[in-house]
Each structure stands twice: as structure tokens, then as C-alpha cells.
């Protein structure tokens, strides 16, 4: 953005602030009656996909908190003999956490309106036209998500790269503790995402070790463009759905599971409403026939490739869901895009993921989190 554009933007931002300050219809002279809360997405086991904070500054605070939890769990798993020892460091960590939340709720230090003014031109880039479109907001969310994912991957790589050569070999990689402690019937035990077949599929250059990009693909195969990983995901779907163990997916196996995931992905405003098996049978058979290229009445792993992106949605899918929800809530004139004024007048649409609404009637929604149940990322695989 050139100097002239910056000057124009600052001028417009000042005018918008003055307009909002003196507007007789301004119903939100102060937003500080709503306390911002830091979230924690940390988990030792597979979990639902979590949205990433809209504001990079908030995301950084949350990452710092998660890193503290991760370090604590890593120490706990690596040194169980200290389980009964007093947690001398817990109090300072709690104080750090409270300091971070106090910072978020100090209007002089963290002013939501000022943050939106600062972030607006960073989002409005394609093109720079004083509007934030669905595409621009999706790309912004995707950037934040990729930064979050790569941070967790680097943290995991530092743990597993035992010889510190910048690569992870399969012998260096340990399955996460929730897998090692599971029995044969537990979820994830028979899913091969942590096994050598998955490791080899992630090794794009075939050198026997994973660099940071390959290790990121290993932890997050749904976001990988590696065709070997895409094929591996298809094989895993067959292995999971193939109840009669014939190596393929018949219609019954497809209908009860895979078709629901595809339908959920395709329906823009899916609200978990129940559909009877009878009403879904016909469209399911149509899709099954389209996928069954050889017409043998079964789906092989290769034939699942066209829908694998719907069975395992990428970060782009979630970024777009989040953007659609934000625009639906903040787009006052319903033109499908956001102005700076609309963003400033609806600040907690952007910060609602960390907003504690226990003290008032503010209705918090998080529809963009409810799609596919499990994330392949395992930020808590700390049992090294």
C-alpha cells in the first residue's frame, strides 16, 4: 500500500470513528462490558476442528498459552515419576495467563475498534477497494490457520527430531500417548495415520525422512497436495468403512457414513436436521453410481478420490465457513461484503470465539466448527 493510499485510509478511518462516535443511533458506545477470554484448543487426543482466532495478536497469546500446556503435558508423559510432586510452576503460569487476559480487557492496551481499523487494510487486498469480500476474508482466515498449524507442526518436529538434523525418521517418531495406551477396539488404533504406511506416503521425495513440509503433511494430510497422501486417505476410508472386510465399499457401507459426510459438505446451510434413509436413498445411489467407474457395484480406494476432499475437509473449507458466518452476522446492508463501518459496529462477531457471554444475553454462535468430527492434527502427541 503506497503512502497516498495509507493517508487516504487513515483519513477515512478517522471520519468513520467520528461518525460512529456522534451517531444518535450508536447503541454501542462502549464494548468493555463484555470480557474477552482466551481459548484453549489443546488436547491429547483427536478432537473437533477449532476455528483460529481472527486477530493475529490474540492468536499469538493463545499459542503462548497452548505451548505452556503442551510443555506441561510433555513433562508429565516423559517423567511420570514426578506425578505426585507439587506443581511449583503452576502459579506463575496461571499468573501469566491472567496477565494476558487482563491485557485483552484493558481498552488502553487492546482496543477492539483500533484493532479492526489496523487489520482492515491487511484483509482488503484483492482488490483494495474499501470492501472486505468473502474471498478476502476466507484468505485471511486461511493465512491465520496455516500459521497456527505450522506452529504446532514445528513444535512436534522439535520433539521427534531426536538427532536434531532437521528431519524426522520413522524410528524417531513415536505414536502419540493416546494411541499407545489404547486397546485394539479403541478409536484410532486400527486407523493407520500414525503407522509406517502413512509415514511413507508423506515422504514426497522418497528419501526415507520427513522435512518440515512433509511432516506437516503427515500431521495434516487433508491439507496436502501430495497425491500419495491423497491415495493413502482413500485407503484408510476403505479400511474404516469396509465392515465385511472384502477390500471394497459396498452401497450399504457407503450409505451409512460416507454419504452423510458428502451431503453435509455439499449443503451450504446444513443444520443437522434429520433426513430419513428413504429420502436419501435415491441421491446416494446416484452418487455411488457416478463413483463406481467400473460398474462392479463396489467402490475401491481409487474410486473414492473424487470425494476425498469432502470426507476430509481442508483448512480452506473451515476458513470459508468462518468467513461466511462472520459476513452473515456483520453485513448490515446485505450486499455480501463488509465495510470498515460494519466491522466496527459488529466487533464481537470477529472476537466472539474468545468472548465470554455469561453475563448478558449476547447470543454466541460457532456454526463453522460443527462439520467433520475429527482433526488429524495431534498437537498433544507428547509421549516421546
Amino acid at each position: 500500500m503506497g503512502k497516498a493510499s495509507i493517508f487516504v485510509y487513515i483519513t477515512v478511518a478517522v471520519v468513520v470513528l467520528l461518525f460512529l462516535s456522534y451517531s444518535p443511533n450508536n447503541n454501542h458506545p462502549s464494548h468493555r462490558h463484555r470480557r474477552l477470554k482466551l481459548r484453549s484448543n489443546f488436547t491429547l487426543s483427536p478432537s473437533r476442528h477449532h476455528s483460529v482466532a481472527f486477530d493475529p495478536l490474540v492468536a499469538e497469546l493463545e499459542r503462548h498459552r497452548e505451548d505452556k500446556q503442551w510443555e506441561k503435558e510433555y513433562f508429565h508423559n516423559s517423567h511420570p515419576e514426578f506425578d505426585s510432586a507439587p506443581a511449583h510452576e503452576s502459579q506463575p503460569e496461571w499468573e501469566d495467563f491472567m496477565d494476558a487476559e487482563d491485557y485483552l480487557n484493558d481498552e488502553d492496551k487492546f482496543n477492539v475498534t483500533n484493532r479492526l481499523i489496523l487489520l482492515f487494510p491487511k484483509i482488503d487486498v484483492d482488490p483494495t477497494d474499501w470492501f472486505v469480500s468473502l474471498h478476502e476474508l476466507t484468505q485471511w482466515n486461511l493465512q491465520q490457520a496455516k500459521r497456527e498449524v505450522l506452529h504446532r507442526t514445528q513444535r512436534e518436529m522439535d520433539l521427534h527430531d531426536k538427532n536434531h538434523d532437521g528431519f524426522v525418521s520413522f524410528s524417531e517418531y513415536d505414536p502419540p500417548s493416546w494411541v499407545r495406551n489404547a486397546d485394539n477396539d479403541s478409536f484410532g488404533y486400527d486407523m493407520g495415520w500414525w503407522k509406517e504406511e502413512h509415514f511413507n506416503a508423506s515422504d514426497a521425495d522418497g528419501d526415507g525422512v520427513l522435512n518440515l513440509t512433509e511432516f506437516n503433511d503427515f500431521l495434516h494430510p487433508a491439507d496436502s497436495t501430495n497425491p500419495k497422501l491423497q491415495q493413502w486417505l482413500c485407503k484408510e476410508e476403505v479400511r474404516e468403512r469396509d465392515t465385511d472386510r472384502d477390500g471394497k465399499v459396498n452401497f450399504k457401507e457407503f450409505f451409512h457414513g460416507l454419504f452423510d459426510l458428502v451431503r453435509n459438505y455439499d449443503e451450504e446451510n446444513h443444520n443437522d436436521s434429520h433426513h430419513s434413509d428413504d429420502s436419501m436413498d435415491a441421491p446416494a445411489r446416484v452418487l455411488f453410481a457416478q463413483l463406481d467407474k467400473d460398474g462392479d457395484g463396489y467402490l475401491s480406494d481409487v474410486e473414492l478420490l473424487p470425494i476425498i476432499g469432502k470426507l476430509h475437509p481442508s483448512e480452506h473449507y473451515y476458513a470459508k465457513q468462518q468467513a461466511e458466518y462472520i459476513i452473515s452476522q456483520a453485513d448490515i446492508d446485505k450486499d455480501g461484503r463488509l465495510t470498515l463501518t460494519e466491522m466496527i459496529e459488529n466487533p464481537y462477531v470477529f472476537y466472539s470465539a474468545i468472548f465470554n457471554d455469561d453475563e448478558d444475553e449476547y447470543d454466541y454462535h460457532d456454526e463453522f466448527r460443527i462439520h467433520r468430527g475429527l482433526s488429524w492434527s495431534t498437537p498433544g502427541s507428547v509421549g516421546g
Side-chain angles (χ1 to χ4, degrees):
M1 183 179 292
K3 292 182 178 179
S5 298
I6 293 175
F7 175 78
V8 172
Y9 174 77
I10 292 175
T11 302
V12 171
V14 170
V15 170
V16 168
L17 281 176
L18 289 174
F19 172 77
L20 291 175
S21 299
Y22 290 100
S23 172
N25 295 322
N26 183 15
N27 295 322
H28 302 285
S30 173
H31 299 286
R32 278 308 178 208
H33 64 285
R34 296 170 178 171
R35 181 171 176 83
L36 295 175
K37 304 282 287 184
L38 287 176
R39 304 168 304 170
S40 175
N41 293 334
F42 180 79
T43 176
L44 282 175
S45 59
S47 60
R48 288 186 176 274
H49 183 276
H50 293 284
S51 61
V52 178
F54 166 81
D55 190 324
L57 182 55
V58 174
E60 182 62 31
L61 293 173
E62 291 182 344
R63 279 194 293 270
H64 178 71
R65 181 192 183 190
E66 183 177 292
D67 285 346
K68 288 283 188 180
Q69 293 176 288
W70 186 88
E71 290 169 3
K72 183 178 179 180
E73 291 297 331
Y74 170 63
F75 183 83
H76 170 78
N77 282 273
S78 300
H79 303 282
E81 66 273 17
F82 289 100
D83 281 357
S84 59
H88 296 296
E89 297 300 322
S90 60
Q91 186 63 30
E93 288 177 7
W94 176 250
E95 290 176 355
D96 289 343
F97 167 63
M98 291 305 296
D99 287 344
E101 283 204 349
D102 288 342
Y103 169 81
L104 287 178
N105 289 279
D106 187 329
E107 192 165 3
D108 292 330
K109 296 179 180 178
F110 187 86
N111 184 286
V112 173
T113 298
N114 290 343
R115 289 298 299 170
L116 290 172
I117 291 173
L118 177 67
L119 295 176
F120 184 89
K122 298 181 180 181
I123 306 172
D124 176 30
V125 295
D126 188 22
T128 304
D129 58 0
W130 305 102
F131 294 96
V132 168
S133 65
L134 174 62
H135 169 73
E136 289 172 326
L137 190 53
T138 298
Q139 291 303 309
W140 172 261
N141 292 338
L142 184 59
Q143 289 174 22
Q144 311 316 308
K146 287 183 175 179
R147 185 179 294 113
E148 187 88 3
V149 166
L150 192 60
H151 174 81
R152 294 177 180 177
T153 297
Q154 183 65 68
R155 188 177 63 194
E156 290 288 322
M157 191 164 188
D158 292 343
L159 169 65
H160 294 291
D161 180 18
K162 295 179 175 61
N163 63 0
H164 307 293
D165 64 350
F167 300 92
V168 174
S169 65
F170 185 72
S171 62
E172 288 177 310
Y173 183 76
D174 297 310
S177 58
W178 64 267
V179 171
R180 291 187 288 105
N181 296 333
D183 56 43
N184 290 356
D185 297 325
S186 299
F187 171 82
Y189 186 88
D190 60 345
M191 293 294 289
W193 72 265
W194 53 273
K195 297 180 180 178
E196 191 166 9
E197 181 184 358
H198 176 203
F199 188 94
N200 292 336
S202 306
D203 183 15
D205 57 15
D207 63 355
V209 292
L210 304 184
N211 58 33
L212 181 60
T213 299
E214 292 169 333
F215 192 59
N216 191 58
D217 286 350
F218 174 76
L219 295 178
H220 311 280
D223 290 288
S224 174
T225 57
N226 177 356
K228 291 194 298 182
L229 264 180
Q230 296 294 307
Q231 190 63 54
W232 172 82
L233 280 175
C234 292
K235 290 180 179 179
E236 285 303 305
E237 283 298 334
V238 172
R239 177 164 22 184
E240 182 182 2
R241 310 295 176 177
D242 180 22
T243 56
D244 58 11
R245 303 305 179 195
D246 64 353
K248 293 184 177 182
V249 175
N250 59 38
F251 178 75
K252 181 179 179 181
E253 294 164 338
F254 170 78
F255 185 73
H256 295 289
L258 296 180
F259 179 68
D260 283 339
L261 293 174
V262 174
R263 178 175 60 82
N264 292 354
Y265 185 99
D266 288 338
E267 292 184 4
E268 290 184 358
N269 298 313
H270 179 63
N271 58 4
D272 285 342
S273 59
H274 178 71
H275 293 271
S276 68
D277 285 357
D278 291 340
S279 66
M280 290 292 102
D281 184 81
R285 291 188 181 279
V286 170
L287 178 58
F288 188 91
Q290 292 172 346
L291 296 172
D292 182 18
K293 296 300 184 182
D294 60 9
D296 66 349
Y298 299 91
L299 298 181
S300 65
D301 55 273
V302 174
E303 290 172 324
L304 287 180
L305 268 174
I307 60 170
I308 196 62
K310 296 180 179 182
L311 303 179
H312 296 273
S314 67
E315 287 293 343
H316 183 274
Y317 171 85
Y318 294 108
K320 185 179 179 183
Q321 266 197 332
Q322 189 170 350
E324 289 173 338
Y325 171 73
I326 288 174
I327 290 179
S328 72
Q329 298 298 303
D331 180 19
I332 298 173
D333 61 9
K334 304 303 178 185
D335 64 350
R337 54 188 183 176
L338 299 178
T339 63
L340 178 59
T341 302
E342 289 173 325
M343 291 176 65
I344 292 174
E345 289 185 338
N346 298 275
Y348 287 97
V349 174
F350 301 90
Y351 290 90
S352 61
I354 57 168
F355 167 51
N356 180 15
D357 60 348
D358 293 338
E359 297 180 356
D360 61 29
E361 73 283 359
Y362 186 86
D363 190 13
Y364 167 55
H365 300 276
D366 206 3
E367 288 87 347
F368 46 78
R369 291 190 189 185
I370 66 174
H371 183 66
R372 172 80 186 217
L374 296 170
S375 169
W376 290 92
S377 171
T378 56
S381 54
V382 298

